Amino acid sequence: MKSYYDIVGDGGSDILGQVAAQQERVARSLSGVRTLLAVGSGKGGVGKSTLTMQLACALRELGNAVSILDADLNGPSQARLGALQDRMLIPGENGAPVPMTQTGIGVVSMGSLVPEPRSVEFESVSSGESHTWRATREFSLLRELLACMNWGKLDYLLVDLPPGAERIVQYAELLGPAAAFVLVTVPSDLATGVVARSVDALQKTPNRILGYVENMDGYYCSDCGQLKPLFPAGSQVKLDLPCLGSVPFDPELAALCDRGGSRSEVPAGVSWQPMRRIAEEVHRRVAERVPVPEEKT
Ligand code: ADP
């Protein structure tokens, strides 16, 4: 089988030129964004999407302008979390305006463009070969979403990443060396072991990892009101990263996620104060040092 290196020329597509032009448009479109912050894990189902929206709401409450790009094109959650299903992106003079939640969080998600339960299809050159094209098409679409939206002036653009520990490097490349990362895990060796792979992969990039958030670290017992563990204690896998905070299992939050309501509906929910503290910690770490690639040796 021939590799890319064996192929002479680009068939006249000027593919490298196209990518460079798109990258320039992305840089222009993101010029008003102060902090690009990717929320990833490597593992699925640990609460990345949920905590991305919660973090956005908490950062907003601290006075920041925040939007979210849902980079999980095939399993988008942010449209539902923000109650923004069926919200078309309509091109404007300075790019397409970003749809807003009731609480003022901008959200760009495939979940607004492709209604459930339809799957997101990517046309491929020949049937049965979609896997060959899929990653290329996905990253091209993500670059296009970054380039064509009118992001405006933002303190934070949060990027909700799909699962896949090794692929996290591709998102780091897409977002550039100034993008910082927050990783989400649950306190089990199974999940944290995969997150450790993401850390290993990211440590080979110039990007900064602010730390990790431990989600669903326990639940509040309705009888005694104490925080009780959800997972076995004594985890063997440790992440060599600062812990930004822990969030308990919050049944009100789970219900809110499903119906995509406003955060202010459950201000007393058990997860909200921990989320506020995590947002403060994230904000403090972002402010304490401008992440430039040279800082990592
Ligand atoms: P991921 O993005 O990592 O795949 P999700 O954010 O989609 O995970 O979360 C998976 C499920 O767990 C969702 O139904 C969500 O509502 C629920 N969930 C996540 N974190 C919490 C939490 N702290 N309390 C209650 N439910 C949660």
Side-chain angles (χ1 to χ4, degrees):
M1 189 181 184
K2 278 191 174 180
S3 80
Y4 283 126
Y5 299 103
D6 301 317
I7 299 168
V8 180
D10 62 8
S13 67
D14 187 24
I15 185 74
L16 292 179
Q18 286 187 52
V19 171
Q22 206 182 29
Q23 274 164 344
E24 252 176 56
R25 286 173 54 225
V26 171
R28 259 203 314 277
S29 171
L30 296 181
S31 59
V33 177
R34 285 178 60 184
T35 305
L36 256 179
L37 187 60
V39 181
S41 171
K43 192 79 178 143
V46 293
K48 286 180 303 299
S49 301
T50 305
L51 295 198
T52 303
M53 178 56 89
Q54 294 304 102
L55 182 61
C57 292
L59 286 168
R60 167 110 185 127
E61 246 191 45
L62 293 176
N64 297 289
V66 188
S67 284
I68 298 173
L69 171 66
D70 191 348
D72 196 340
L73 300 177
N74 311 295
S77 303
Q78 294 301 335
R80 178 182 279 277
L81 285 166
L84 290 168
Q85 294 111 317
D86 304 326
R87 190 65 68 94
M88 290 310 291
L89 306 180
I90 298 153
E93 219 171 274
N94 300 309
V98 175
M100 287 284 200
T101 68
Q102 271 186 352
T103 44
I105 310 290
V107 174
V108 174
S109 171
M110 285 305 275
S112 299
L113 304 176
V114 181
E116 289 175 4
R118 269 179 52 203
S119 63
V120 177
E121 305 290 342
F122 288 93
E123 209 181 279
S124 73
V125 277
S126 61
S127 65
E129 291 298 327
S130 67
H131 59 282
T132 321
W133 288 101
R134 198 147 182 130
T136 310
R137 296 294 302 271
E138 282 176 12
F139 277 91
S140 178
L141 176 56
L142 282 174
R143 268 198 306 273
E144 196 52 37
L145 285 174
L146 285 168
C148 77
M149 299 307 301
N150 182 359
W151 297 103
K153 288 214 177 310
L154 288 177
D155 296 298
Y156 287 94
L157 175 56
L158 304 186
V159 184
D160 179 12
L161 300 182
E166 280 79 18
R167 285 191 79 198
I168 207 159
V169 171
Q170 291 175 286
Y171 294 96
E173 280 173 13
L174 172 82
L175 300 172
F181 282 73
V182 167
L183 299 177
V184 179
T185 191
V186 297
S188 75
D189 285 353
L190 185 71
T192 311
V194 176
V195 179
R197 291 184 193 274
S198 300
V199 176
D200 184 57
L202 277 175
Q203 277 170 345
K204 292 165 194 148
T205 73
N207 297 72
R208 186 174 165 211
I209 314 176
L210 298 185
Y212 72 94
V213 175
E214 199 171 54
N215 191 23
M216 301 191 256
D217 70 321
Y219 71 99
Y220 282 95
C221 169
S222 54
D223 293 330
C224 66
Q226 299 294 309
L227 186 65
K228 295 197 169 168
L230 268 172
F231 294 91
S235 148
Q236 302 295 306
V237 186
K238 303 280 177 235
L239 296 176
D240 188 17
L241 287 178
C243 179
L244 304 170
S246 302
V247 181
F249 181 79
D250 179 354
E252 284 181 78
L253 175 61
L256 181 76
C257 290
D258 280 353
R259 67 173 187 275
S262 146
R263 176 66 262 176
S264 56
E265 286 175 41
V266 282
V270 291
S271 60
W272 184 235
Q273 286 315 317
M275 237 18 261
R276 290 274 316 235
R277 285 194 291 275
I278 289 166
E280 282 165 8
E281 188 58 23
V282 164
H283 195 55
R284 191 181 68 72
R285 283 177 187 272
V286 164
E288 94 193 350
R289 195 168 65 124
V290 179
V292 289
E294 290 77 41
E295 286 182 16
K296 246 180 162 181
T297 49

